[in-house]
Amino acid sequence: MSAARGDRVESRNPASGRTIAQKLDHLIGTVHPADRGPLSYMEIAEGIRTKAGPDGPTVSHATIQKIRKGEIVDPKVSTLTVIAGFFGVPVTYFFDDAVAERVDAKLARIKERVELTRAQRELVKILEDSDVRDVALRMNGLSAGSIQAIRGVIDQARRLEGLPEPPPGRARDTKS
């Protein structure tokens, strides 16, 4: 399950092809605060130190980086246990593909709920304006062509008033 010492070949589960490095990379890319991107290696190492306390096990940022890049191909179980604990997953995540699939599915559901909750909060904030709410309610039941025409009028009004374009993914299906 491990490569020769100088090799950059990672240990791989033949059933799935996912390496420990790939699984760690997925955790780093997925498990982070909703309002920012992935944690740095230093932040992960510091989080592990904080969680472990003065006498607990730690992992250096360099070790985390080397595992993620596949430079450490067969890390100690104790190291992976500490990393798994930081990310809130069982250590078997790194060794058992069925566990990894269940954890990844759960993480995807959590991320989806967080994104939905964020979108819901944004929509509630927008609909607090009674004029905006009134326009939205009046559009209900109109044909796609009528909605496109109204969107064009709104886009032109926003440009005339010097307002920014809506962020991507929000009410931007067509160009006027």
Side-chain angles (χ1 to χ4, degrees):
M1 181 154 162
S2 65
R5 185 168 190 104
D7 293 347
R8 300 278 172 152
V9 179
E10 299 171 38
S11 58
R12 227 178 245 285
N13 181 328
S16 74
R18 285 182 71 196
T19 63
I20 290 172
Q22 289 167 328
K23 290 176 182 179
L24 178 57
D25 180 65
H26 180 74
L27 288 175
I28 291 171
T30 305
V31 181
H32 55 78
D35 59 345
R36 60 162 285 179
L39 299 172
S40 70
Y41 300 121
M42 293 289 281
E43 290 172 313
I44 295 167
E46 181 58 34
I48 289 170
R49 272 191 295 281
T50 301
K51 189 172 184 175
D55 298 325
T58 63
V59 178
S60 73
H61 70 280
T63 298
I64 296 165
Q65 181 179 18
K66 287 177 181 178
I67 294 170
R68 185 182 191 190
K69 291 182 176 284
E71 294 171 11
I72 296 177
V73 296
D74 200 5
K76 295 178 183 176
V77 173
S78 60
T79 300
L80 292 177
T81 300
V82 172
I83 293 171
F86 173 77
F87 285 107
V89 301
V91 70
T92 52
Y93 175 85
F94 292 108
F95 306 109
D96 185 330
D97 288 322
V99 171
E101 287 176 23
R102 285 193 303 274
V103 168
D104 289 345
K106 184 177 181 180
L107 291 173
R109 286 191 304 273
I110 291 169
K111 187 173 184 175
E112 186 177 295
R113 282 195 302 255
V114 167
E115 291 300 318
L116 181 60
T117 302
R118 185 180 303 140
Q120 288 170 333
R121 283 192 308 264
E122 183 179 0
L123 182 59
V124 166
K125 182 179 177 186
I126 291 168
L127 292 176
E128 286 175 350
D129 182 326
S130 62
D131 290 333
V132 172
R133 188 174 54 248
D134 185 50
V135 169
L137 290 171
R138 288 172 185 242
M139 290 179 58
N140 186 36
L142 294 178
S143 68
S146 291
I147 291 172
Q148 280 183 319
I150 293 167
R151 182 180 291 145
V153 170
I154 292 169
D155 287 347
Q156 182 62 27
R158 290 183 69 83
R159 281 192 291 275
L160 289 172
E161 293 192 18
L163 296 172
E165 293 258 341
R170 272 192 36 208
R172 294 303 320 165
D173 299 343
T174 61
K175 294 188 181 203
S176 51

